[in-house]
């Protein structure tokens, strides 16, 4: 059958364009604009028809286009230490300078963040609020230092303790009032249920599609997750993004039937990639791994974005946002990774020691030690940065991948 | 030796011999709990009849901390992990850690594995401290800390005991506030190094005893006449260490008339308010805290606070002590710079590296700043 179909790749591009177009038209359509952190409870803003910009996503896009340096220099001139997370530096510089960067981010009417990935966001958004002279709402999710455990079967974290749920729920209520004040209209609880239903559909579609990476051989190229993620950040309250991930899942089914894969090389080794991509060197990293027959089969991302809850259940909504992986204690983060490595049949692990991201880095050495004791899987780590091109060495990356390959090869030969 | 010198000597002795302080307490049958920066409900440790001791790092050659941390972690936590791994904390019964920054989240976890014989008690303060829900949450975290401390102490901590400890701590805070006020009014009456010892020694003494010493010292210093001809500065940042750095300020006759350091004023400037439920009181203290780099500051009040403080103390300049690799402070710097510029207060930015004892690198910068302030 030769019916004309749009590919997921094209659909993703189209959605990205539409998203930024819509964002930039928002003000002219009488809509409020927010700047928000990636894993914010967007549901509330979607109900209020607020256009939401995501600076992390924007900084990543600038870095992926190899355009970060001018911003990085500017941030330093503004007094921001080069030690600070490069997403924040790029964005604060972007906010503070005249630039023709495409796509543009319209000025915010307010900024909002959830510190479920890091506390850097709090400081970053304080600065944004001050710069734009707009209100800042923080949905504070306390670090879960208590072990909550994980569900091995579903590779998901158990809910967070009730005191955290109650605290976050109370903030949701304040957030609703805050939004009502900003928008000058009442919060529509019926629409809220609709948005929650759509967000769930998107999250399930995402998770289903990304889980194809765990099949052996995999029909999905794990590296593509980094790109697919963009719409999970920007559009997960919209039907369109559900459709995108449903399309990807359908393509994977086709691949399986035809014995094909997105990964263009031989799948010799399956690895887990731990950490954010090195956006300025995405192509380098990819080419190097491809050359070695190394395919990403596991990552924390599929689960991080599986933001699924019972529609209307505020306890679950609070728990899922408060319980993001970065906000878990070391034992739970270790266990989820070990489970992912098992279910994705990883032969090895590549850890990104990301110069930008203290919250991930400073638990990493102990965590990778403990994980390798559990899984007996070899690992390497490399020094990089998700968006500052100065903090990465191609040679080091290549040597580390070579070393991992050697180890994985040794294991395979040893097991025959 | 003058009485002032005697008092100072006592304070310097404990600060320079923390290990000894701990082993003496242990010998006397007390349990000892290490308390990490920046904030902790220390009153609960005290109320349990245990001795809280500050763990604010110190000079160290880093070799074993690399097991846990890459080189770009703040120097204070590098040394905490180095000490932990070397067994410096082995006499402690527990460590109490809050997690207001990303680094401390990770440190709280690493300590569990680096100090398997110590109970690691962790709490997370609510960032939305002004909201009532934040107060409720803080109370819940304090209750969990209390239960863990009770298990270690082997006793129940009564409300009355906590309320009594709060009074002792509040009085200690008042004594330190009075002390810094006296110094501000009589600049140069005590060196920068000794001012630091007076405040810091509070981490290594029984609070009642320290309060007494500080009060006596304050009375004596009040009497001293001292016609200061040098310049006056205030410190901002996490801490102003090592001593070698402070000595340069003394050398250039730059008197410290105030601070908002995490290790100094931020420790004692907020009293625990009145009330009957002690955990609620502690939670309300947290609610009242502000202008701090590790508590949500959506209007960047801290920058204004620093400029206002400098004006109020009639300081000639502000010295921002940037703890190396401390991102909460790095984020605040541009706004502090702007606030000082707006208020026309000269500002010096110094990078603090607790690990290096050599203060030579600072001399030229401080000298230049001194010249900038005029003579
Ligand atoms: S890269 Fe790390 S520090 Fe930066 S915003 Fe993301 S989670 Fe936070
Ligand atoms: S010095 Fe800064 S980064 Fe280090 S623990 Fe303290 S607040 Fe956190």
């Amino acid at each position: 059958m030769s019916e004309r179909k749009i590919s997921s790749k094209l659909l993703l591009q189209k959605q990205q364009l539409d998203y930024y177009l819509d964002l930039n038209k928002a003000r002219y359509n009488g809509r409020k604009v927010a700047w928000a952190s990636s894993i914010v409870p967007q549901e509330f803003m979607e109900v209020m028809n607020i256009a939401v910009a995501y600076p992390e996503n924007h900084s990543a896009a600038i870095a992926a286009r190899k355009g970060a340096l001018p911003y990085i220099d500017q941030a330093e001139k503004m007094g921001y230490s080069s030690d600070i997370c490069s997403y924040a530096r790029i964005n604060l510089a972007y906010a503070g300078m005249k630039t023709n960067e495409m796509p543009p981010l319209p000025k915010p009417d307010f900024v909002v963040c959830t510190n479920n990935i890091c506390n850097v966001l709090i400081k970053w958004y304080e600065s944004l609020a001050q710069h734009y002279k707009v209100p800042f709402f923080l949905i504070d999710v306390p670090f879960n230092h208590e072990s909550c455990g994980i569900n091995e079967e579903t590779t998901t974290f158990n809910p967070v303790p009730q005191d955290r749920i109650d605290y976050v729920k109370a903030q949701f209520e304040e957030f609703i009032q805050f939004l009502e004040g900003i928008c000058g209209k009442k919060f529509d609880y019926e629409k809220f249920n609709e948005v929650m239903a759509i967000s769930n559909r998107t999250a399930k579609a995402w998770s289903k599609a990304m889980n194809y990476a765990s099949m052996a051989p995999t029909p999905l190229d794990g590296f593509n997750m980094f790109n697919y993620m963009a719409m999970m950040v920007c559009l997960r309250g919209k039907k369109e993004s559900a459709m995108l991930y449903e399309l990807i899942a359908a393509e994977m089914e086709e691949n399986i039937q035809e014995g094909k894969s997105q990964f263009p090389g031989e799948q010799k080794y399956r690895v887990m990639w731990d950490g954010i991509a090195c956006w300025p060197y995405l192509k380098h990293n990819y080419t190097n791994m491809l050359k070695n027959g190394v395919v990403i089969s596991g990552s924390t991302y599929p689960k991080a974005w599986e933001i699924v809850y019972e529609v209307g259940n505020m306890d679950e909504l609070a728990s899922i946002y408060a319980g993001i992986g970065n906000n878990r204690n070391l034992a739970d983060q270790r266990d989820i990774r070990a489970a992912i490595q098992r279910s994705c049949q990883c032969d090895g692990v590549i850890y990104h020691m990301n110069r930008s991201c203290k919250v991930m880095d400073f638990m990493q050495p102990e965590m990778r030690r403990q994980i390798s004791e559990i899984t007996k899987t070899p690992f390497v780590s490399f020094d990089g940065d998700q968006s500052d091109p100065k903090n990465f060495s191609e040679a080091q990356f290549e040597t580390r991948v070579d070393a991992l390959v050697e180890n994985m090869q040794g294991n395979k030969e040893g097991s025959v | 030796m003058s009485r002032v010198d005697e008092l100072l000597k006592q304070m310097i002795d404990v600060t320079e011999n923390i290990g000894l302080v701990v082993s003496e307490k242990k010998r006397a049958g007390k349990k000892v709990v290490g308390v990490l920066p920046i904030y902790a409900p220390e009153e609960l440790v005290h109320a349990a009849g245990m001795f809280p001791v500050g763990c604010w790092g110190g000079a160290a050659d880093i070799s074993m901390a690399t097991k846990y941390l890459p080189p770009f972690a703040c120097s204070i936590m590098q040394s905490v992990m180095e000490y932990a791994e070397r067994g410096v904390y082995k006499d402690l019964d527990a460590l109490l850690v809050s997690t207001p920054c990303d680094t401390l989240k990770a440190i709280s976890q690493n300590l569990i594995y680096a100090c398997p014989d110590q109970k690691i008690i962790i709490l997370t303060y609510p960032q939305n401290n002004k909201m009532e829900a934040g107060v409720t949450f803080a109370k819940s975290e304090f209750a969990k800390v209390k239960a863990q401390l009770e298990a270690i102490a082997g006793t129940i901590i009564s409300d009355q005991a906590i309320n009594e400890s709060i009074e002792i701590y509040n009085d200690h805070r008042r004594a330190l506030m009075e002390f810094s006020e006296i110094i501000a009014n009589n600049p140069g009456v005590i060196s920068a190094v000794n001012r630091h010892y007076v405040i810091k020694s509070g981490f290594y003494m029984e609070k009642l005893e320290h309060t007494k010493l500080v009060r006596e010292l304050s009375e004596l210093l009040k009497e001293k006449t001292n016609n200061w001809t040098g310049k006056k500065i205030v410190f901002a940042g996490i801490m102003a260490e090592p001593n070698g750095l402070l000595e340069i300020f003394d050398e250039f006759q730059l008197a410290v008339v105030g601070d908002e350091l995490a290790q100094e004023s931020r420790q004692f400037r907020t009293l625990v308010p009145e009330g009957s439920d002690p955990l609620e009181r502690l939670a309300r203290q947290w609610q009242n805290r502000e202008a701090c780099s590790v508590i949500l500051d959506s209007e960047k009040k801290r920058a204004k606070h620093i400029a206002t403080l400098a004006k109020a103390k009639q300081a000639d300049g502000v010295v921002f002590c940037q703890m190396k690799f401390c991102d909460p402070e790095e984020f605040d710097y541009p706004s502090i710079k702007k606030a000082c510029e707006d208020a026309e207060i000269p500002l010096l930015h110094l990078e603090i590296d607790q690990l290096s004892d050599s203060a030579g690198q600072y001399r030229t910068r401080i000298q230049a700043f001194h010249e900038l302030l005029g003579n």
Side-chain angles (χ1 to χ4, degrees), chain A residues 77-81 83-85 88 92 115 117-124 126-127 129-130 136-140 142-146 161 163-164 166-167 170-171 174 326-331 334 353-359 361-366 369-370, chain B residues 66-70 72-74 99-110 112-113 122-129 131-135 137 140-141 144 148 292-300 303 324-335 337:
Chain A
K77 283 193 201 119
M78 291 162 76
Y80 291 106
S81 158
D83 176 46
I84 289 174
C85 163
L92 287 165
N115 53 332
I117 48 174
C118 67
N119 277 14
V120 158
L121 287 165
I122 302 177
K123 304 305 295 179
W124 172 3
E126 281 175 9
S127 299
Q130 193 191 31
F136 166 25
F137 196 96
L138 167 69
I139 298 167
D140 174 35
F143 178 59
N144 295 292
H145 50 77
E146 294 158 284
D163 57 353
R164 282 155 165 76
D166 292 340
Y167 174 45
Q171 294 176 76
E174 299 243 2
N326 275 10
N327 208 35
R328 299 280 182 167
N329 73 359
L330 195 147
R334 171 198 65 205
M353 181 50 80
N354 181 344
R355 185 64 186 74
S356 269
C357 192
K358 296 186 162 84
V359 74
D361 295 339
F362 294 175
M363 283 189 233
Q364 195 197 89
E366 180 60 26
R369 234 183 336 266
Q370 293 189 18
Chain B
T66 56
K67 183 174 167 194
Y68 299 94
L69 297 172
F72 47 90
C74 64
T99 62
C101 69
D102 291 334
T103 303
L104 276 163
K105 290 177 195 169
I107 295 298
S108 75
Q109 298 304 299
N110 286 321
I112 296 173
Y113 307 100
I122 308 166
L123 81 150
T124 304
Y125 282 102
Q127 285 288 328
N128 265 324
N129 63 334
M131 283 183 191
E132 278 306 299
V135 175
F137 179 73
S140 164
E141 286 287 278
K144 290 179 194 175
Q148 294 173 77
C292 171
S293 52
V294 297
I295 307 171
L296 171 65
D297 185 11
S298 35
E299 290 156 35
K300 289 273 189 211
K324 197 170 179 186
F325 298 130
C326 167
D327 50 302
E329 292 279 319
E330 287 164 349
F331 267 106
D332 278 356
Y333 178 65
S335 65
K337 187 163 168 262

Side-chain angles (χ1 to χ4, degrees), chain B residues 25 31 42 49 79 159 168 170 202 219 237 308 316 363:
Chain B
K25 288 285 170 200
K31 298 225 157 121
E42 220 184 281
S79 77
D159 281 3
I168 291 172
N170 267 350
E219 283 308 314
T308 313
D316 301 289
R363 175 166 277 102

Side-chain angles (χ1 to χ4, degrees), chain A residues 21-82:
Chain A
L21 202 63
D22 185 62
L23 183 63
N24 280 284
K25 285 192 306 197
R27 185 152 287 119
Y28 306 100
N29 294 333
R31 295 165 68 199
K32 297 289 179 193
V33 176
W35 284 21
S37 64
S38 53
I39 316 188
V40 82
Q42 47 79 30
E43 288 85 347
F44 297 96
M45 293 186 278
E46 184 64 30
V47 170
M48 299 302 265
N49 195 25
I50 290 164
V52 188
Y54 293 93
E56 288 156 74
N57 190 274
H58 193 246
S59 293
I62 291 174
R65 276 198 301 277
K66 299 195 187 295
L69 281 177
Y71 297 102
I72 280 171
D73 291 345
Q74 171 68 13
E76 205 162 337
K77 283 193 201 119
M78 291 162 76
Y80 291 106
S81 158
S82 57

Side-chain angles (χ1 to χ4, degrees), chain B residues 262-310:
Chain B
Q263 197 189 27
E264 301 188 1
S265 284
R266 282 191 240 173
Q267 293 296 312
F268 56 78
R269 70 184 182 198
T270 313
L271 294 177
V272 179
E274 293 298 316
S276 53
D277 173 356
L279 297 191
E280 164 110 19
R281 294 179 69 189
L282 291 172
R284 297 269 170 218
Q285 179 200 31
W286 180 253
Q287 185 177 40
N288 291 341
R289 287 195 188 278
E290 54 188 22
C292 171
S293 52
V294 297
I295 307 171
L296 171 65
D297 185 11
S298 35
E299 290 156 35
K300 289 273 189 211
K301 284 188 183 163
R302 181 178 177 216
K304 261 193 216 92
H305 166 75
I306 292 172
T308 313
L309 176 76

